[in-house]
DNA sequence: GCCAACGTTGGC
DNA sequence: GCCAACGTTGGC
């Protein structure tokens, strides 16, 4: 099973918003980047990912799961981009901040550190375990 | 609020 | 198919 990281500005779509949707999940729409699309297309039902708050908070705050695989994004007029549905699984006991991630040698290769602008990123199994550990899970 | 980094667009 | 210009993102 693969792992991912999703970035969202909390004033647009926050972890609390995601939790409020419950098990029904919510489309992760609005991606307009080809590399991010590639990652979305590679996702499978049951894949888990981190929910990251950019700008405000700058921290990984929770775990989400893919509940619907890639399908067209109706908000994309060009028809080139799609989305997946995500549901909230559980929050981290404590948020893992970007600062902590930068200071952790085992996370030096995380995409978040090296290409912070990519909105949907792959996370390796090793990185997944380290972040869960830092987050108290 | 600034600015660096990056991805996309469009002219040639 | 290249590359300059532009727009956007996101950390600080």
């Amino acid at each position: 099973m693969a792992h991912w990281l999703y970035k969202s500005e909390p004033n647009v779509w926050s972890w609390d918003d995601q939790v409020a949707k419950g098990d029904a999940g919510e489309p992760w729409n609005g991606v307009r980047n080809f590399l991010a699309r590639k990652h979305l297309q590679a996702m499978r039902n049951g894949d888990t990912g981190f929910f990251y708050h950019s700008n405000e908070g700058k921290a990984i705050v929770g775990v989400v799961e893919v509940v619907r695989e890639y399908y067209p994004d109706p908000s994309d007029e060009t028809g080139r981009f799609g989305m997946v549905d995500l549901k909230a699984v559980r929050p981290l006991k404590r948020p893992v901040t970007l600062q902590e991630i930068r200071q952790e040698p085992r996370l030096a290769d995380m995409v978040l550190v090296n290409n912070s602008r990519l909105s949907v990123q792959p996370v390796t199994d090793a990185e997944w375990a380290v972040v869960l550990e830092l987050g108290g899970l």
Side-chain angles (χ1 to χ4, degrees), chain A residues 26-39:
Chain A
E26 175 74 5
W28 194 265
N29 60 14
V31 170
R32 298 292 183 270
N33 172 288
F34 292 105
L35 186 53
R37 182 181 71 172
K38 191 184 119 191
H39 296 320

Side-chain angles (χ1 to χ4, degrees), chain A residues 17 31 65 93 105 109-111 114 133:
Chain A
D17 294 329
V31 170
E65 178 182 326
K93 279 186 185 155
D109 290 332
M110 264 193 94
V111 181
N114 298 303
E133 174 193 319

